[in-house]
Amino acid sequence: MYLSKEYKAGIFAEFAGAAANTGSAEGQVALFTKRIAHLTEHLKKNRKDFNTQRSLQMLVGKRRSLLAYLYKKDINRYRAIIKALGLRDIIK
């Protein structure tokens, strides 16, 4: 599997502050971003995999809603995670 426990713990340690802090919005956004990148590469090779395409769209929606939550709650945390992950500012 491409996302092992150690890899996920590293993502949460880097973006959420601690490996055990799996509920933080920043950690979840970072994990979703890694999964989105993986699924995008898969879809470049397998264009007719519509189940994966739907999963990708659902992940993008979840990430977008978490980013909207961060924007509403604490704009500084939102800007920090956007800058760290290299994402576009989607909230207008």
Side-chain angles (χ1 to χ4, degrees):
M1 190 167 132
Y2 71 100
L3 287 176
S4 64
K5 284 186 177 184
E6 296 81 19
Y7 186 72
K8 287 182 186 179
I11 290 173
F12 284 114
E14 181 180 353
F15 292 101
N21 192 6
T22 59
S24 73
E26 291 93 343
Q28 289 183 25
V29 168
L31 184 64
F32 287 163
T33 302
K34 301 294 182 185
R35 289 177 64 193
I36 287 169
H38 178 76
L39 290 178
T40 302
E41 289 302 316
H42 172 78
L43 281 174
K44 286 180 183 177
K45 298 173 192 167
N46 305 294
R47 294 180 185 264
K48 294 188 178 183
D49 189 354
F50 299 114
N51 290 326
T52 302
Q53 186 177 2
R54 183 173 188 275
S55 298
L56 175 66
Q57 290 172 346
M58 289 172 52
L59 270 177
V60 170
K62 284 182 183 182
R63 181 178 71 179
R64 184 178 171 89
S65 66
L66 275 173
L67 287 172
Y69 167 78
L70 271 177
Y71 184 84
K72 190 169 44 172
K73 281 295 197 185
D74 189 359
I75 194 154
N76 293 327
R77 286 172 49 195
Y78 169 78
R79 289 182 179 148
I81 194 70
I82 290 292
K83 187 175 181 181
L85 293 173
L87 299 175
R88 289 183 294 161
D89 188 8
I90 58 171
I91 308 296
K92 300 292 179 192

